[in-house]
Each structure stands twice: as structure tokens, then as C-alpha cells.
Amino acid sequence: MPNTAPYRLLSDWNAQDRVIELKLEIAGGATLAGAKLATTSLFRIHPECRIEGATLAGQLSNHHVFAQPEGTRIAPGQSWIIRADRLSHVLRHYTYGPKSAFLILADGSTHPVAVEPMTLNGVPGAPHWEEIAPQDLPAGAAPLSVIPAPRAVSVAGRRDPALPLVIATEAPLAAQKAFSAVRALAGRLFTRDEPLYCHGEGHIVAAQDEAALRDGAYRIAFARDGITLSAGGEDGYRHGFITLGQMLRGARQRPRDFALPEAGTIDDEPRFGWRGAHLDVARQFYAMQDVVDFLDCLAWNKLNRFHMHLNDDEAWRLEIPRFPALTEKAAFRGVGEILPPLLGTPAERTGGFYTGDDIRALVAHGLSLGIEIIPEIDIPGHCHCVLEVLPELRDPGETGVYRSVQYFPNNALNPAVEATWDFLAAVFDRLVELFPARHLHAGADEVAEGAWLGSPLAVALGERLFGKAETFTLQSHFLKRVQEMLRARGRDIAVWEEAALGGGLDAEGALLVAWRESKSGRALAEQGYRVVLAPAEHYYFDMARSAEWWEPGASWAGTVSLRDTYDYDPGSDWPDALKPQLAGVQSCLWSENLSLPGLFTHLVYPRLSAMAEGAWCAPERKDFARFLATQDLMPVSARG
Ligand code: ACM
């Protein structure tokens, strides 16, 4: 569509001087006087920044309002130039720049501004990204289009790929259920394909229970007169049917490389019980269909945990009947709302939330695919919007300002305010009502150094309990109380790794997700915790895939190429004695940049499948060349 907006925002990062220039081009409309330019971005203006060409009339994290200097006038055909010399961090990719913008005229009316991708050192360009070129299967590789690669394979020959897979009528109930779920899954994922699974004519798959096969394991025996799938239960059957469907699909799409075998066996089982993917549905809202679609892609990769990050400073997405204002007010951002536009949202009210029925539908969908949904309510930090909607949760005597790494002021729930615990009781009751998962995730990441130290109530609590108020001992006190509340509701706590600070938690039943560095997981295990590994430098899919300016994403943890994800060997630095404490692995996708079209697919796929091989396969089964030649057969989300 041609750009007809009279206002266009260009931006440029001068990497030598570390100065950002914003240039508002005015093609029409009235002469600007007393106007304000509002922008959202990934960067934040540092408190010591000098700004030329405007004054900073307002800021919340990455939402900035620049006021036109008094007495100036900018006519159509002219530009308004603003320079700022100190930002929260060095800008490394175009996606760090402005994401949305609008003008506020002197009469208070708002007007959209078209935002161009930020350039580097004035060099024009356009966003682009390297797609992975199709690769040939390495010589000698088994003709097996299966990701993650099965544990033991010995197969030969090929069956007719035109025929679908059909389950034998006498198959046990668990196999019938798994077949129906996988058939429906493939129908949703591959809408343009001929059906992979049918009733009627086709390759008959006999199914038989084999109690000796542990959870998730399966065996496939191929013989000229039929295929036999054995498993210990529904998970194993589901995995087996997915493997068969992947082979059939490969044989149809790339018959030179792949086959549905005629003879031989596949013996397979997962390496880890926790094979997860996290999605931040707070920074951006994901419609139900997007989440269902993502769950489907997880299932085809044999992943079995979906970690749903339901709140953050920038939004609260889960309806809590006792506190309806949370979703009425904090699930939406816009001018005049409790939350201003942030991270790409426009002046108009936008957002969304999940009702109880939505969550029940997602949980049921996940369960039908063997995926448990672990809800995360991120506390005590990352609670800016909660505290804006429920100011009674603040200590009225609090003085001083601390700021989170994302520049949200005083954003931690206060353990010394009794209303905090009433609020959390309602939230946990709701989680328990909606989510059957054993673990409920309580966040605990990135509480700011200095949090609570300006709160007389929290200081008194710290002095009473510990002789001294200190942020992380108070955090430990907070989290232990949360752990007890979850235990009283029959659940265990999951948390990010910072929960171990200041005295930590009771290790019994607790699950810590290690994210800051690949070596942090081992240190947590040494302290007695059970651990999920999600190291940012391998498994954070919001990290850009390369250092190029035009590659989208962030890179505070470095860039994460497909190979960086693939080659990570979870637990390889752990002594054998600690390995029983390694529950598994998961990827994380933080959504700060995900307002831009096309980014979800580019950032998630095929790194998701690379992580899935790490979750499923023993290291000796991994082979990057074979993976590269097969990954293009894996599904991507329809979200784009
Ligand atoms: C995190 O990345 N803050 C867990």
C-alpha cells in the first residue's frame, strides 16, 4: 500500500558517537507548533541523556514523548530533527529503533506516523534476512525425514508414498486416541498436503501395548505385510505416529532423499522429560489461534511443555475474576490508558487477554498433544502494570526510586504489604483452577537491586526477620511464602534462576530455569535444585541470528545462529552425580520485537527444531548436516 500518512519518522544510529537521530518528515497538514512526538522502541532514553531539538515531556520505559521546543514552528515540507546522546544500551540491529510513533498536536488530537526501519551511520538499506538454503542429505545418511532424530534406526526399502497411514481397527484405545490427535494435528499443520493419516485404504499400522517401553518411548517394526507400532502409553504412540507421518511426508515431498521404509526397525525414546518452549504473551498479545498454532508446531517437534509468560510490566493477560480491573485496564495499551503505547503499539487502545474458557481450551488442546501448559505469573518484579491498576499494593510511605533493567520505576510487589498476599491468593487460586500442571511458575527474575529499600514497611520487615533490610533476602522471604502458598494448593514452584539469590527457596519440589549463561545451571544443581536449562546464548530465540544490522532481534546475549542452538549440549559440563537433577531444556521467546510482521517465523524456525533435537537426542545422534537437509520439512506457524 502506498504510504499516504503526512508524517513519516526516519531514524539513524551513529555508532561512533552513540547518538540517535529521529527525523520527522512532514508532508502535509498544518504547521506544527506546540506539538509532541510520541515513540515506542526497544531503547530507552537514559536519565543523563542530552536531547537536542526537543525536550522529553514524558517517558515510561521505551515510551517517549518529545515536545517541540517552545516558539518553534515546523511547516509542511520541513522536518523536525531530534538527537539524543545517551541511551539504555548500544543499538545493534534495526529492530532496536522506533517501532511505532504518533503526533500529539497542540489541541490534544493524535495522528499516526509511519515508521521507517532505523538505519546505521546514515547508510540506507532495508530489512532482509538470510533464509537457509535447501541442502542435500549427506552421503550415507539414512533416508529418514524425522526431527528429532530417533535413537536407533535400521531400515531398508521403500513403500508407496501415495498411500496414507491407517490404524488397524483392533488397536488399543491409547493408540486410537493418539492416532486421532496426530491425524487432526497434521490436517491443521499441512493444509495443502494430501492427508498423511486416514481411515480406509493405506499402510496399515498395527499397534500393541508394551509396558516395558518407558514414558514417551516407542518401537516401529516395518515388514512387507505391515507396520507395527509398540508403545507403553499414549505419549509413545503419539510420538510413533508423528515419526511415521514425518517419514511419509518426506517420501512424498523429496522422494530422492527420503522413504517410508519397507523393512527394519526404529527404537526411540526422549532424552529429557522436560522438552519445553516459552512464549511471552505479555509484551505482545497473541490471539488464541496463534497460540494453538504454536502448540501444534511444538507437538510435531515432540516437545511437551509450553511455558506461558502471562504478565509483565507491559501487560497482564489472564482474567482473574476477583480483580477484573487487571484485564480491563492492564491488558490494553494506548493514549489515556493506564499503560501508554509500548513496544510497537499505536496511540489507539490495543491488546487482549485470555478468559477462563480460553485457557481451558488451550489446556485441553495441549493435553490432546501431550503438552502441559505451565503458566507463569512473573512476581515480585516485572509488576509495573499490576501496581498501576492496584495501587493499594504499594507501601504509601515508600520514598525514592529504583528502576528495573527495562526502566520501569518501583515495579516489585511488596512482601510487607498485606494486600499483596490477598492478591496473590486470588491469582494462585485461579491458576490452580485453570492449569492442571504440577509446576506453576512464579517468575522471580530481574528484581532490581535496591528494590523495597525505600519502603518503611519492607525495611521494618527485613530488620525484624534478618536484622537488616536487603533486597535479595527480602526476595527469598517473598518467594518462600509463595512456595508455601503453592504447596498448600498441591503444586510445586518453578522460577527463573535469580530465585536462588539471598537464601533462595526450599529445593524440595522447586524447579529453577537457568537462563543467564550456560554454566549457571550447574551452579544451581550444586545448590541442590532441579534445573531446566534455557541458556540465552543458545536457546533465546529473540536473539538475532547474526550480527548484521538488518538481521532482526536483540543481541544482549550475543547472536544465536542456528548452529549455536543446534550445537548446545545440555549438561555436558555437569558431573554425573548432578545429572539426575537436570529435568530438561526449553527455548524462550521474549516478544519485545514481535510487533513486526514476519519476525515470529524468522526467529522461531528452524531454531525450535534445533532445540528439539537437543531435548530429545543423545549427543551422539546429532548431526548438523543431516539436520540442515531435513529441517525445511518441519512446519512453521501461520502467524508469519
Ligand atoms: C529472563 O530472561 N528475564 C528470564
Side-chain angles (χ1 to χ4, degrees), residues 44 65 89 98 126 230 269 310 346 413 419 489 504 542 555 607 636:
R44 281 83 62 181
V65 181
H89 44 290
S230 312
E269 64 176 354
L310 284 162
L413 295 186
R489 289 164 174 77
D542 44 317
S555 49
R607 290 189 294 192
V636 302

Side-chain angles (χ1 to χ4, degrees), residues 382 445-446 496 498 515 540 556 590:
H382 289 282
D445 59 322
E446 298 184 321
W496 299 107
E498 295 97 310
W515 64 276
Y540 266 35
W556 54 260
W590 299 97

